[in-house]
Amino acid sequence: MTKIVVVGGVAGGASAACRARRLDEKAQIVLFEKGPYVSFANCGLPYYVGGAIEQRAKLSVQTPQSLNARFNIDVRVGCEVVRIDAQAHEVEVRDAAKGITYCESYDKLVLSPGAEPVRPNLPGINLAGVLTVRSIPDIDRVCEAASGAQTKRAVVVGGGFVGVEMAENLVDRGLEVSLVEMSSHVIASLDYDMAVDLNRELRANGVHLYLQEGLASIEQRANGLEVHTTEGKSLPCDLVILAIGVRPESSLAQAAGIACGPRGHILVDDQLRTNVPNIYAVGDAIQVTNFVSGADAAIPLAGPANRQGRLAAENALGGARTYTGTQGSSIVKVFGLAAASTGLSEDAARAQGIDVDKTYLTQPSHATYYPGAKNMGLKVLWEKGTGRLLGAQAVGPEGVDKRIDVVATAIRFGANVRDLVSLELCYAPPFNSAKDPVNMAGFVAENVLCGKLRQFFPEDVAGLPRDGSVTLLDVRTPAECSRGMIDGFVNIPVDEIRARVNEIPANKPVYLHCKSGQRSYIAYRILVGLGYECYNLAGGYDRWSAVTQG
């Protein structure tokens, strides 16, 4: 009979324990969790603050009693594993409630310690009212603080998933919210050119956004707290939420001689084994391989943690399943928008030395003649020359998850960006268009790769010559142009191109744009057919406007 000890619950650890039981009814399985909750909806915590999740009990996915009743797992909450003796095959456990320390033997050990919120060593960081969000007790403290009669203003530090979700839910709770983020945009997995839509959405819903500013210090004042930023701003508030990021809780592993990476993440092989025999590790505490780039990465997401727990349990029981890497598929709700991404961002691809190409599309969530269609922005990335699909990002009110899930699946199975053309996706007017936005991205990419389309991008616009050496052409309607034009561009609507082609010098390159890039591509093909050298603005006026206005 195999004895499996799991350290840490929630996604990775609880998945490992339950999978082990499903595979081996006779195994002895012990799960230690130092906190009071063994399996809870970590990702749902912000929505309890805002009231979308009304019942606190809904946050508990499993209890020690339910895990024991259904899976015969010996769950011990409030019990912290403080030492691993790999030679003796045992762990030392501190039981807080009983005030005792004892040793527990194991045949196989699965570590799922997770990650803890970063608390930088800054003045005032430990003041009352400066809180983090990781567990149910954490969120209880946030709710208690937010419910105070004097609590009117909150500052959220950090614009990642937790920070943005907390900002939204604190607004929903009735607080005035400021969000401080060191980057130029929120949600680091997105590129700036897509995340700007989220910046605007946050501001439109009353969030005071302080970008490219970090936390310098926090002071206690007579009437509350005051946050000081690295750019000299002072933000009076009653509550501070630290959502700066997480660091792996790997001190237990390091003390046991388990190898860790440069940022403290536990190193595992493709079967999730550490360098110490019979010890596996899963979840936010481990270093993974980025599925797309092959580089070492830390990607703390619940979905991968669950899969890792499942595989580690199987391997602990004699299997040889491999974990093929994490590609970072994720989604976040930001008031009326959703933002999703998968694979590499443009910034990440360039950092890995990949020669990346891209396109932008603005597409409806379903057929426009059926009521309720809403536009989404889609950005797709591929490797120049080869067309290897690298990643995608989408932002919009609806339909975002479906499109990124499709691309995520394509990436997982090694698709080329040209393969997006051939995907046969569900269509009926309430759900889609006959040509899905993912298909449309494939059409554009295919045109680029085979030379039928040359693009330029929002970041190129400012550098275009305005000395008459090129023709800058806006093919939107006069009514659209009356609401704003890019400096230096002249207007000839697409439907007048053929009749007015004599107004376009034949010996100069032509740079075209419309609202989204679709009509200007039609004008592009007309002019190329007449012998012109042309370039089309990817994403059109709307994407350029979003990027330049921030």
Side-chain angles (χ1 to χ4, degrees):
M1 180 177 67
T2 303
K3 182 175 182 181
I4 298 176
V5 168
V6 180
V7 179
V10 197
S15 293
C18 293
R19 178 63 171 169
R21 173 58 70 223
R22 290 194 295 270
L23 295 176
D24 189 342
E25 181 60 26
K26 296 181 180 179
Q28 183 180 356
I29 304 169
V30 183
L31 193 161
F32 292 107
E33 168 56 50
K34 67 180 179 180
Y37 300 93
V38 64
S39 180
F40 62 91
N42 184 285
C43 299
L45 297 177
Y47 299 100
Y48 177 63
V49 173
I53 298 173
E54 296 179 356
Q55 299 177 34
R56 184 177 178 278
K58 295 287 188 182
L59 296 173
S60 294
V61 180
Q62 294 280 0
T63 66
Q65 294 75 24
S66 66
L67 285 172
N68 183 263
R70 181 164 295 179
F71 295 102
N72 191 25
I73 296 169
D74 181 0
V75 179
R76 305 180 196 177
V77 296
C79 292
E80 181 181 6
V81 174
V82 295
R83 188 174 66 88
I84 300 169
D85 187 336
Q87 294 273 1
H89 275 67
E90 63 181 24
V91 294
E92 185 178 331
V93 184
R94 181 184 297 127
D95 186 325
K98 296 179 180 178
I100 61 172
T101 299
Y102 63 94
C103 290
E104 188 79 25
S105 65
Y106 67 84
D107 296 315
K108 304 289 182 179
L109 181 64
V110 179
L111 302 178
S112 181
E116 61 182 347
V118 171
R119 271 188 177 268
N121 186 21
L122 294 172
I125 205 72
N126 294 314
L127 288 171
V130 180
L131 305 175
T132 58
V133 177
R134 185 199 176 193
S135 64
I136 292 178
D138 287 343
I139 218 66
D140 287 341
R141 285 187 283 271
V142 171
C143 288
E144 182 182 3
S147 298
Q150 304 305 313
T151 305
K152 306 294 184 184
R153 300 164 297 180
V155 172
V156 178
V157 183
F161 295 109
V162 173
V164 167
E165 289 167 349
M166 284 302 302
E168 175 179 351
N169 282 280
L170 288 168
V171 167
D172 288 347
R173 200 177 176 98
L175 273 65
E176 180 182 348
V177 178
S178 299
L179 192 153
V180 177
E181 166 55 45
M182 288 190 69
S183 176
S184 60
H185 61 87
V186 298
I187 309 299
S189 58
L190 300 178
D191 292 311
Y192 174 81
D193 48 25
M194 298 299 288
V196 288
D197 294 343
L198 304 185
N199 292 350
R200 288 207 309 268
E201 183 73 4
L202 287 161
R203 292 185 179 113
N205 284 276
V207 176
H208 306 292
L209 206 52
Y210 296 89
L211 298 172
Q212 295 181 303
E213 300 202 40
L215 174 65
S217 64
I218 306 169
E219 279 191 88
Q220 183 73 58
R221 299 294 193 189
N223 58 346
L225 300 169
E226 189 166 86
V227 169
H228 301 284
T229 74
T230 54
E231 299 302 306
K233 303 281 194 329
S234 294
L235 309 177
C237 62
D238 309 298
L239 171 65
V240 177
I241 303 295
L242 298 179
I244 299 170
V246 295
R247 61 166 62 94
E249 291 205 52
S250 57
S251 57
L252 176 69
Q254 293 184 52
I258 294 172
C260 293
R263 292 193 293 158
H265 295 87
I266 300 171
L267 300 181
V268 295
D269 64 11
D270 63 1
Q271 293 185 22
L272 300 168
R273 299 174 296 197
T274 70
N275 64 307
V276 176
N278 302 306
I279 301 181
Y280 300 77
V282 301
D284 294 355
I286 71 170
Q287 180 173 291
V288 297
T289 299
N290 185 290
F291 179 80
V292 180
S293 69
D296 293 336
I299 306 176
L301 294 170
N306 276 283
R307 291 191 293 278
Q308 292 157 13
R310 178 183 175 89
L311 293 181
E314 187 161 341
N315 293 341
L317 289 168
R321 296 286 301 278
T322 59
Y323 185 71
T324 54
T326 304
Q327 67 193 67
S329 301
S330 60
I331 189 167
V332 63
K333 176 184 177 297
V334 185
F335 292 101
L337 293 179
S341 64
T342 189
L344 299 179
S345 66
E346 182 179 356
D347 291 340
R350 295 195 188 284
Q352 292 294 326
I354 299 172
D355 195 7
V356 61
D357 209 342
K358 62 184 176 182
T359 197
Y360 308 95
L361 297 97
T362 300
Q363 293 287 306
S365 55
H366 60 252
T368 53
Y369 58 83
Y370 186 88
K374 298 174 182 177
N375 279 342
M376 75 181 80
L378 178 63
K379 178 181 183 179
V380 176
L381 300 146
W382 65 91
E383 187 175 44
K384 282 186 180 177
T386 69
R388 178 169 68 104
L389 192 55
L390 299 174
Q393 302 165 35
V395 179
E398 63 180 38
V400 162
D401 51 346
K402 171 180 177 175
R403 275 66 193 204
I404 294 302
D405 282 345
V406 168
V407 178
T409 304
I411 290 174
R412 179 58 61 166
F413 291 104
N416 191 284
V417 71
R418 298 178 182 89
D419 295 325
L420 302 183
V421 171
S422 303
L423 293 177
E424 187 174 327
L425 304 173
C426 296
Y427 162 61
F431 304 102
N432 204 349
S433 299
K435 291 184 285 190
D436 185 271
V438 174
N439 296 135
M440 293 297 294
F443 296 148
V444 175
E446 185 179 55
N447 283 338
V448 171
L449 286 163
C450 70
K452 291 187 175 70
L453 171 63
R454 288 186 284 192
Q455 301 182 109
F456 67 108
F457 302 101
E459 63 266 27
D460 301 323
V461 170
L464 293 175
R466 267 71 172 181
D467 58 2
S469 59
V470 300
T471 299
L472 306 178
L473 194 58
D474 182 337
V475 302
R476 296 176 299 158
T477 65
E480 289 175 294
C481 291
S482 69
R483 294 189 287 271
M485 292 184 68
I486 303 175
D487 180 54
F489 280 72
V490 297
N491 176 227
I492 300 179
V494 61
D495 293 334
E496 299 177 17
I497 288 287
R498 291 184 180 91
R500 298 174 60 182
V501 71
N502 62 315
E503 299 177 32
I504 305 171
N507 60 344
K508 298 176 182 178
V510 181
Y511 290 80
L512 304 105
H513 82 80
C514 64
K515 178 178 171 63
S516 68
Q518 190 167 356
R519 283 174 291 164
S520 52
Y521 173 64
I522 294 169
Y524 175 107
R525 294 307 307 167
I526 293 170
L527 292 174
V528 166
L530 296 172
Y532 287 81
E533 176 189 343
C534 294
Y535 301 85
N536 192 35
L537 177 58
Y541 181 88
D542 281 358
R543 187 50 45 192
W544 170 85
S545 177
V547 169
T548 54
Q549 293 177 19

